[in-house]
Amino acid sequence: MVAEGEIFPDNGGESDNFGAEHALVLILLLFLCTLSGYLIRQSNFHYLPESGAHMLIGIVAGGFLRIFSSTRELAYIQFNPSVFFFVLLPPIIFEAGYTMKKKRFFKNVFSILCYAIL
């Protein structure tokens, strides 16, 4: 039974701090990715695509996380294949198809249909 005035049990605010720290890190990483994309476009640096810069930022952030985090924090951010396949992968495929030239699409339509059907 919950006491009067106590809707959510208090656990010392530990989970609130944990969530706030991770939200701050996520916002910082999104800002870095946006900044790197802007700088790559402004400097006309054609040797590294934006997605490659974002992957490098993720690799560096993952390395820091591996080195400086506790096992509890590492368990919190484990890779989930269903989230990848149903949430992250469709926009990537959509963007690749949206920016593809019509000539290249129709040149490879048989391969695309094979992958789509099989």
Side-chain angles (χ1 to χ4, degrees):
M1 179 119 195
V2 177
E4 185 178 334
E6 184 180 341
I7 297 173
F8 299 107
D10 186 22
N11 59 358
E14 184 179 326
S15 65
D16 294 337
N17 290 339
F18 183 71
E21 290 169 358
H22 284 278
L24 181 64
V25 169
L26 179 63
I27 291 170
L28 178 67
L29 287 173
L30 288 173
F31 174 74
L32 286 174
C33 287
T34 304
L35 181 66
S36 70
Y38 173 76
L39 292 174
I40 287 172
R41 274 186 262 124
Q42 288 296 92
S43 65
N44 290 328
F45 187 72
H46 300 288
Y47 302 108
L48 180 68
E50 288 182 44
S51 58
H54 299 163
M55 288 175 22
L56 289 176
I57 290 171
I59 289 170
V60 169
F64 278 121
L65 189 66
R66 268 283 203 215
I67 293 170
F68 297 113
S69 293
S70 67
T71 55
R72 179 176 166 244
E73 291 172 337
L74 288 176
Y76 179 72
I77 57 164
Q78 285 184 346
F79 179 74
N80 187 348
S82 61
V83 170
F84 176 75
F85 284 113
F86 295 119
V87 176
L88 299 175
L89 191 58
I92 294 169
I93 294 172
F94 176 76
E95 190 273 334
Y98 187 74
T99 59
M100 182 182 284
K101 305 287 184 201
K102 287 182 183 178
K103 185 177 182 179
R104 289 182 62 198
F105 174 78
F106 287 112
K107 183 179 177 183
N108 296 310
V109 73
F110 180 73
S111 300
I112 292 170
L113 290 175
C114 283
Y115 280 118
I117 295 170
L118 301 176

